[in-house]
Amino acid sequence: MFTVTLKSSGRQFPVNAGETVLEAAQRAGVALPYSCRSGVCGSCKAILLRGRCEYPRHPPLGLDAHALAHHAVLLCQAVPASDLLLEAREVASVEDVARRQINMVVEHKWRLARDVIGLHLLPDEGEPRLLRLPGQYLDVLLEDGKRRPYSIANSPQADGAIELHVRHVNGGGFTSRVSDSLRVGDRLRVEGPLGTFVPREDSERPMIFMAGGTGFAPIKAIVEHFIALGTRRSIDLYWGARSASDLYMRELAEHWVRELPHLQFHAVISDPDQAAGLRTGLVHQAVLADHPDLSGHDLYMSGPPPMVDAGHQGFLDAGLPEDHLYYDSFEYAPDVLASIIAGRAGIHDR
Ligand SMILES: Cc1cc2nc3c(=O)[nH]c(=O)nc-3n(C[C@H](O)[C@H](O)[C@H](O)COP(=O)(O)OP(=O)(O)OC[C@H]3O[C@@H](n4cnc5c(N)ncnc54)[C@H](O)[C@@H]3O)c2cc1C
Ligand code: FES
């Protein structure tokens, strides 16, 4: 057994043999940032100040040569090979939110866009509700032991209601089931809450939100939270999609603009033939064109990995401090990633 020490807070926790730093931290009630848990998105990045780690599960694909040269490690994959001293961000607000598994019933299923289904779930009779923060996600637990993460699109509700926005993926096991055979009244076993993509309220900085496709789901929950709080901080919301009809809740975003004078909404369409008069281009480029200096902002982004990767690099180059960038990248689940790596296919060729 090894001990991990976090330099900034001085907190320490033990790590059992074969356990990752993230798993051990969660067992000890220490909230470190993470999203995909597959070693791809990089949101669990920390700096190793002393000690040695190994990567027996997945290689640290979320670290580039520059990060590796600066002793970065990925906490969701790093297994200590000695005691460690780490420089890592802590997300205190998620610390007290206990994770649990419950059965939920599909109350409503509706089509949001050509390839996006909305699901409204309620806790099954006798089940407690999931306590959670806006922006977190849950895992749907599949019969074969696999899991699929989905962001929760509504802010926490007294009756435990959960809204999901599920995009159909070609060849995808669970999303094909959602499209084809999942019915109202069916039960899904879920575990949550998960993730650290949550509102940061200890800041007065203006906020930029950038969503790609169903990446709108957690951003909807966080924006609704800030609206309910009556925030006076300015909000610029960018939502990118391939076509105008893929912006499946555009009326809601336009409603927020009418409600809040300091909220701006920017729709950005990547296929000029499908733009229906809206702004065209890549959504992260629209953010950068409007905000060439991001040094004074908080930026939240969520959606497909290529968008998150491009935004990550572009926003840091525009002066955004890495500590003010919060994101969820909709990476493939760890089991899919493992088979893709075993088959040597490119994981970002999608
Ligand atoms: C934090 C987080 C939040 C997310 N939130 C959302 C959300 O709110 N909404 C949403 O729509 N999605 C979300 N996702 C993505 C979601 O979890 C699933 O990855 C996605 O829905 C696909 O699931 P699936 O079971 O249908 O597909 P899978 O069965 O996982 O397959 C995915 C793709 O991989 C291919 N594939 C599978 N196995 C192999 C193999 N061995 N070799 C090559 N290719 C293979 C399949 O053909 C398919 O194209 C999120 C992901 C993360 C990490
Ligand atoms: S790389 Fe560790 S959570 Fe994504």
Side-chain angles (χ1 to χ4, degrees), residues 36-40 58-59 61 77 331-343 347 350:
C36 73
R37 294 171 295 162
S38 301
V40 184
H58 294 157
L61 296 170
Q77 299 301 322
E331 303 287 350
Y332 289 158
D335 66 274
V336 175
L337 181 70
S339 352
I340 292 178
I341 290 173
I347 54 159
R350 38 184 161 130

Side-chain angles (χ1 to χ4, degrees), residues 35-36 137 148-151 165-167 169-176 214 217 328-333 336 339-340:
S35 174
C36 73
Y137 68 88
R148 292 293 176 266
Y150 292 94
S151 300
H165 301 167
V166 180
R167 185 177 73 84
V169 174
N170 280 337
F174 179 67
T175 58
S176 298
T214 49
D328 256 353
S329 181
F330 287 4
E331 303 287 350
Y332 289 158
V336 175
S339 352
I340 292 178

Side-chain angles (χ1 to χ4, degrees), residues 34-44 74 76:
Y34 70 96
S35 174
C36 73
R37 294 171 295 162
S38 301
V40 184
C41 77
S43 68
C44 63
L74 292 182
C76 73

Side-chain angles (χ1 to χ4, degrees), residues 24-157:
Q26 290 178 335
R27 201 168 36 76
V30 176
L32 299 174
Y34 70 96
S35 174
C36 73
R37 294 171 295 162
S38 301
V40 184
C41 77
S43 68
C44 63
K45 191 171 82 177
I47 302 299
L48 182 60
L49 300 171
R50 195 169 56 237
R52 205 164 53 79
C53 295
E54 289 166 353
Y55 292 100
R57 300 188 192 175
H58 294 157
L61 296 170
L63 296 177
D64 57 18
H66 178 263
L68 284 167
H70 287 81
H71 309 288
V73 288
L74 292 182
L75 302 178
C76 73
Q77 299 301 322
V79 172
S82 70
D83 289 345
L84 305 180
L85 178 64
L86 291 171
E87 183 80 68
R89 290 195 265 173
E90 293 177 56
V91 193
S93 55
V94 301
E95 225 155 65
D96 301 326
V97 194
R99 191 197 301 189
R100 51 166 47 122
Q101 294 190 0
I102 62 166
N103 291 322
M104 301 201 75
V105 182
V106 180
E107 282 290 313
H108 185 41
K109 170 182 167 181
W110 73 107
R111 186 161 294 281
L112 283 164
R114 186 179 40 90
D115 59 350
V116 182
I117 299 279
L119 292 179
H120 186 242
L121 310 176
L122 277 179
D124 202 356
E125 222 178 305
E127 291 280 26
R129 66 191 166 105
L130 290 185
L131 298 176
R132 59 186 173 89
L133 296 176
Q136 289 190 291
Y137 68 88
L138 53 70
D139 271 352
V140 175
L141 308 181
L142 304 177
E143 288 71 18
D144 55 6
K146 294 176 180 167
R147 300 163 166 257
R148 292 293 176 266
Y150 292 94
S151 300
I152 304 173
N154 53 349
S155 46
Q157 307 288 310

Side-chain angles (χ1 to χ4, degrees), residues 11-28:
R11 294 172 86 180
Q12 294 192 312
F13 54 89
V15 189
N16 293 329
E19 222 179 8
T20 65
V21 176
L22 182 66
E23 287 163 351
Q26 290 178 335
R27 201 168 36 76

